[in-house]
Amino acid sequence: MRIGLLAIIVGIPLAWHLGLTAVAYWDAGRVGLEPQWKWAAITFCIPLIGFFIYIFERSELSYDPESDPYRGHNVNIHPSRVDDTSLPSRGDDRLEPDLEETDDE
């Protein structure tokens, strides 16, 4: 009885873990995430979370900038926050708030 229970408790999660590693290895070669062994190693060394890392990285391959709702800094702002200034981001060519030219001068 104890051996059967131990086989279920250890065997089923181990089978899932090895299966997810094999799927990551197979799919990485199919979609072009090279090297395949790197994604299999990440999935194997970081159980379950490694597979989600692979899935998120794989989803970046199908990014279409034309369908991105936030392209061009288009973000909906609540009317109560309109006067707030945004933090500059990478590639932002706007002047900082204290450096902007004013019409008062």
Side-chain angles (χ1 to χ4, degrees):
M1 176 72 178
R2 290 184 182 182
I3 294 174
L5 183 60
L6 182 64
I8 291 172
I9 291 174
V10 173
I12 291 174
L14 184 62
W16 271 99
H17 180 61
L18 294 176
L20 291 176
T21 302
V23 166
Y25 180 81
W26 171 77
D27 192 54
R30 193 175 61 84
V31 299
L33 282 172
E34 298 293 335
Q36 291 174 283
W37 61 266
K38 177 180 85 170
W39 293 107
I42 289 171
T43 304
F44 183 77
C45 293
I46 309 171
L48 196 58
I49 295 171
F51 186 72
F52 286 114
I53 291 170
Y54 168 72
I55 293 295
F56 292 139
E57 186 67 27
R58 184 184 191 279
S59 69
E60 290 294 318
L61 293 175
S62 62
Y63 173 72
D64 180 21
E66 295 298 322
S67 64
D68 186 2
Y70 302 109
R71 182 182 51 147
H73 304 290
N74 295 329
V75 180
N76 293 330
I77 298 174
H78 191 270
S80 68
R81 305 299 297 226
V82 171
D83 295 333
D84 291 352
T85 58
S86 61
L87 297 173
S89 61
R90 209 176 316 147
D92 193 358
D93 57 353
R94 294 179 292 172
L95 295 174
E96 293 184 24
D98 58 346
L99 299 177
E100 290 182 0
E101 296 177 13
T102 60
D103 295 333
D104 298 339
E105 297 174 5

